[in-house]
Amino acid sequence: MEVFVRNLPEQSTEKQVRKLFRPKLAPLDINVFHCYKPTGKAFAKITIHDPQKARRFLDLHGQTQPGSKGFDTVKHKIFHMRKPVNCMQSRSPPDEFVVKSLEREEQGRNASHPHPTQSSQATARSQRKYDFSLLQCGSLDYDADDLGFVSHYQLSLAGSLTFGRHFVRIDLTNSDATLPRKQLQLSYHSVNSLIVGKSTNPYMTFTLSEAPRMFEQIPELTDVITSLGVFGLNIPAKPTAPKRQRITALDSSHQAVVSNSLSYRFKLGPKDAQTVLVSKNLPGKLDVVPWDVSAIAQDRMQIQMSRLNTAIGTQDEVFSFETKFQLQALAQNGYLPPYKVLELMETIKIEFHTVDHQTLAAAVRRLRLQVPFPGVGTESSELSLDTLQLRLVKNYSAIQQETAYSRVIVQQFEHLAMIHKATVTPAGTYLEGPEPEVKNRVLRKYSRFSNYFLQVTFTDEDGEPMRYDPTSSLTEIFHGRFKKVLESSITIAGRPYEFLGFSHSSLRAQTCWFMAPFVTDGAVLHARLVIKNLGNFSAIRSPAKCAARMGQNFSQALCSVQIPSSAFRQIPEVERIDERGIKRTFSDGAKGMISLDERLKGEALCLRQSMIKFQADATQIEICGAGFRPLSMFLNRQLIKILEDLGVPSQAFVELQDEAVEQLRITSENPVNAGYYLQRNGIGKATRLSWLVHKLHYIGIPFSDDGFLRDTLELSVLIQLRELKYRSRIYVERGFTAYGKLIYSSIVDFAKQKQGIMDETEFLKEGQIYCSVKNEKTGLILTGRVVITRCPALHPGDVQYVDAVDVPQDSPLRAVHNCVVFSSKGKRDLPSQLSGGDLDGDLYNIIYDDSLMPTKTTEPADYPTVTPIDIGREVARSDITDFFVQFMETDQLGRIATLHQTLADRSLDGVFNPECILLAEMHSTAVDFSKTGIPVDLTKLPRSPRERPDFQAPGPRVLLENAISIAEMEYGWNDESDYENDDNDMADSRPGIRYYSSNKVLGQLYRLIDERDFFTEIQRRSTPARELQQMSVAEKVWGYVQAKAALIQYEYYLPFARDIKEAYEDNMIETMVQHSFHPTSFVSEVEVFAGTLVGKDGAQTKRQRESSTGMKDKHDRDVTYTVQCILQGEEEDSSKAEALERSIACLYVGVHERRTRPRFGRLVSFTWVAAAVCLKEVEKFVNA
């Protein structure tokens, strides 16, 4: 039922109305309700999903007649700001989605635990808010053996500190009421420790892994006028204007220290300090450490950093750039205070005056992984100069043993370059790397100067991209902080790195290239000259288009092939005039792709004019990939929704998902299934994990008795299950994704790695395609009626029927495999009908599964061609950096796609709903934004409903401590109640998102997977009875090896094995840190070993999927090197015949010599790398 509320002050907010009605509803057992209060209006609507409870409320507080006479008859009157509030049953029925979301929320509450009473809620909140009189920002350090706090910034302002659901909020109170108020947010995941002193030392100290988010109040126009003493003006409210803006620091003094001073201290009242010490229910699972932290006097951070940067920038004759980069990173990233790095530099001068500089740089970098953070659990000796020096010496010695590794990388992975990186956040700039990156044309051209190039990524403090925030303005971050970095330079070890350019894919990742000037061929080369040498871009008048053309040179390519100039030929375009008189270029898609035409004689590379994007002298072809095999076809939520609305029955999707879930379920039934699952998904390929699981089964040792091996399998299964539940990524056996040829030259667009091509033979008729699928074992030429589409698909016309046909045996198309060949006939090319596709490297999906055939199709979208912005002059570097900032700020692809999904689910018309059709067009505009420079017009964006389908709800977190588990899900029924009882107008007053149970197919698929029940079942199958375990699996393997190779003398190789284990674990730790999204945190060992990262709140993000690929590649390289060392030895004259002895020694060390690493705990995966090698060598020995 909907209750209509009248006579509210127009200025009242929705938050205030919720606060008014909550205590009236709670005694009636109404804990879940919806409130809607329009800005500037005198009414509100309260929705209660239970009609009986709503009538009970109206019996007490409602009136049956309007006006004051009706109010007089109300049993229990409600007043707000001394005005009577009128409540009546609304004439309109309640919104069905609001009611459904309230019902789902109530069910979630009842399933988890009874809702606390209003009084207990107020008590809990009151205990979570504390006043302070002093704020300090600094770091923890030691005075002799005593832990202390070094203040680098101090603010003597009163304020309050509130523990909310997701973060700690710090509100600062200005003595001058006309000044904007400021606020800090400390997210719980960033809190390393919470230290509270006694009543005689009442300080609360947070140590953080990242800088806090900071906000400043945006004064409303009415506030400004009032502060000027002008009254009586009626200023209309702006309901969409944010009340606050993100800022980079509290003031200029704070700006100088905010990036690497990651401890915040607050002076509480003595009683409050005692209250915190005895608190048992602080949110965020914060543990309070009682400890009196005294103050330590040191030079301010900015003074220390200035001294360090001066020292680093002026000692080229002593330290290499690589070493200085790592030294600067130690201080700049907050691992060590700058004064300690200066002391370490003096030690290095004495101890390492004649060394290999690359080895020294690697030794210093490894120090970052070994330095513990100061705190209650860290001894001062662990951070002493003597300890740091000892670790550095050990690192240097260990890395010397690994010198062969660098040779292996260079020999086997010539397409990689070691690249230094920087991450720019609102608060600071953090240094990372060097890390292997696939080369592009620029890196390949200047390969001797790779350390003069810097990859720079712009992110939020937690390492995630800056996201649209409706509650806060981000103008200061984008146009202040980020723009300033792009226009100036990043100084590292005395080198000024300035903006160079970006590729199309890196633009979307908010990443670009910087470079420092260097001397080559007797001349100084800087960024502008590098761009000039790549080609002539002066004729391009659009910043976005110019950036895209330049960006072709920054696209990653596996290798480069020189093509003789005589091989290039220019051929005419293929154009048609459609029924509207619009000229359509069928062959435009040929850019970025070269396909084989056996009719050509000699060496010939045919180009059309539309393929030539700019003039350049280079004639190398950059090879980015090739269509060696067809790619698997997976459904996604966008495509499933379109197919549902085109008549595909729900049961078809349910059966496909059930089959996929069953395939995951049977992996835990026995080791054979588990081994095949690991092999099919490429998990632990370099480790030979699949073979190891089968081998252990063969010799009678269940692999699942080992916690780490069991976690590896369970983690990979769980992640795939979450891809099904939270992305509807369902495998289609009778479908595939086809690639074309992927060869590009400097005058060919560096396109994406997925393509179709045009039929140059003119055999195919309109509406026909040719598609030959071939891998190492089988081949298939597709024929008959099939469905073709392309992702992303939002418009119902993005799915079409085509006829797949065969071609004559002597057709040149017979030589083309694993790509879609489109007809060159007809008034409109087919690719452009599929989500605006073309032939510049797009990916096309083919489905020939009868159960997924639509009963209807509709006309494809035909959006007008957008002309890129023309600035009327040659594009300058500042124009391109402006566009980069604008793109970061206004890239709304994800927001539009999510809203499309929401509205399509709510509407009876689904994707045919007019608002969804509009969103499909807006999405197309947003996709083209990177090339046209024209952002989507967000004023046309439909309103985003607060009630969304349940399949869009975040999932519970996966916990990896000790064993894999799924956290209890916190239903977000009362997100606003954290701050509801305070009057802070900077906080978001809007209620949290609510989710209803969708009755469409996506909702059905989502609810059919219960990940907690599924995971409990596979864990029950695979977890052994612990009381029966007398020996670990590793010990059993060791016993088996001892029995089979009892006479083998392996002891001589134990020192070798210890070195190999040390090197492997050092590389493992480096990978754990490198693929975390923040420099001071790390991913788990099991994630690295399994080759995949866990999604935070459901499926992996795109960034996590991409990072998982890089992480897996790096770990595979490290494992390959480790196995190579065991089999062949480190020295060139090592005997391969003694591989068995070396492998047994490595297994012994892995089983019996496990040690705990500071910060990272005990690493165990080396045992299983060694076990796989050793068991294979024992098998050879026994068979021989």
mmCIF file of all heavy atoms in Angstrom, residues 124 283 840 1040 1070 1169:
data_model
loop_
_atom_site.group_PDB
_atom_site.id
_atom_site.type_symbol
_atom_site.label_atom_id
_atom_site.label_comp_id
_atom_site.label_asym_id
_atom_site.label_seq_id
_atom_site.Cartn_x
_atom_site.Cartn_y
_atom_site.Cartn_z
ATOM 1 N N ALA A 124 23.562 1.496 19.320
ATOM 2 C CA ALA A 124 24.754 1.058 18.585
ATOM 3 C C ALA A 124 25.381 2.219 17.835
ATOM 4 O O ALA A 124 26.592 2.393 17.818
ATOM 5 C CB ALA A 124 24.380 -0.064 17.619
ATOM 6 N N PRO A 283 32.171 -2.008 13.352
ATOM 7 C CA PRO A 283 31.976 -2.582 12.014
ATOM 8 C C PRO A 283 33.296 -2.747 11.290
ATOM 9 O O PRO A 283 34.349 -2.281 11.741
ATOM 10 C CB PRO A 283 31.083 -1.549 11.320
ATOM 11 C CG PRO A 283 31.374 -0.271 12.030
ATOM 12 C CD PRO A 283 31.670 -0.639 13.452
ATOM 13 N N ASP A 840 37.011 -3.843 -39.334
ATOM 14 C CA ASP A 840 38.310 -3.359 -38.892
ATOM 15 C C ASP A 840 38.861 -4.200 -37.754
ATOM 16 O O ASP A 840 39.770 -3.781 -37.057
ATOM 17 C CB ASP A 840 38.232 -1.890 -38.478
ATOM 18 C CG ASP A 840 37.418 -1.697 -37.202
ATOM 19 O OD1 ASP A 840 36.755 -2.654 -36.766
ATOM 20 O OD2 ASP A 840 37.459 -0.589 -36.643
ATOM 21 N N TYR A 1040 56.726 -42.009 -0.981
ATOM 22 C CA TYR A 1040 56.673 -42.776 -2.232
ATOM 23 C C TYR A 1040 57.985 -42.637 -3.005
ATOM 24 O O TYR A 1040 58.541 -43.625 -3.501
ATOM 25 C CB TYR A 1040 55.495 -42.282 -3.076
ATOM 26 C CG TYR A 1040 55.449 -42.863 -4.464
ATOM 27 C CD1 TYR A 1040 54.878 -44.109 -4.698
ATOM 28 C CD2 TYR A 1040 55.982 -42.163 -5.554
ATOM 29 C CE1 TYR A 1040 54.841 -44.646 -5.982
ATOM 30 C CE2 TYR A 1040 55.958 -42.688 -6.826
ATOM 31 C CZ TYR A 1040 55.385 -43.933 -7.036
ATOM 32 O OH TYR A 1040 55.364 -44.469 -8.306
ATOM 33 N N GLU A 1070 56.618 -11.508 -5.776
ATOM 34 C CA GLU A 1070 56.598 -10.391 -6.722
ATOM 35 C C GLU A 1070 55.316 -10.390 -7.528
ATOM 36 O O GLU A 1070 54.699 -9.339 -7.750
ATOM 37 C CB GLU A 1070 57.807 -10.503 -7.646
ATOM 38 C CG GLU A 1070 57.970 -9.334 -8.595
ATOM 39 C CD GLU A 1070 59.210 -9.479 -9.455
ATOM 40 O OE1 GLU A 1070 60.324 -9.357 -8.907
ATOM 41 O OE2 GLU A 1070 59.065 -9.732 -10.661
ATOM 42 N N VAL A 1169 55.210 -27.788 -7.443
ATOM 43 C CA VAL A 1169 56.010 -27.672 -8.670
ATOM 44 C C VAL A 1169 57.110 -28.728 -8.657
ATOM 45 O O VAL A 1169 57.342 -29.443 -9.641
ATOM 46 C CB VAL A 1169 56.611 -26.255 -8.789
ATOM 47 C CG1 VAL A 1169 57.554 -26.174 -9.990
ATOM 48 C CG2 VAL A 1169 55.512 -25.204 -8.913
#
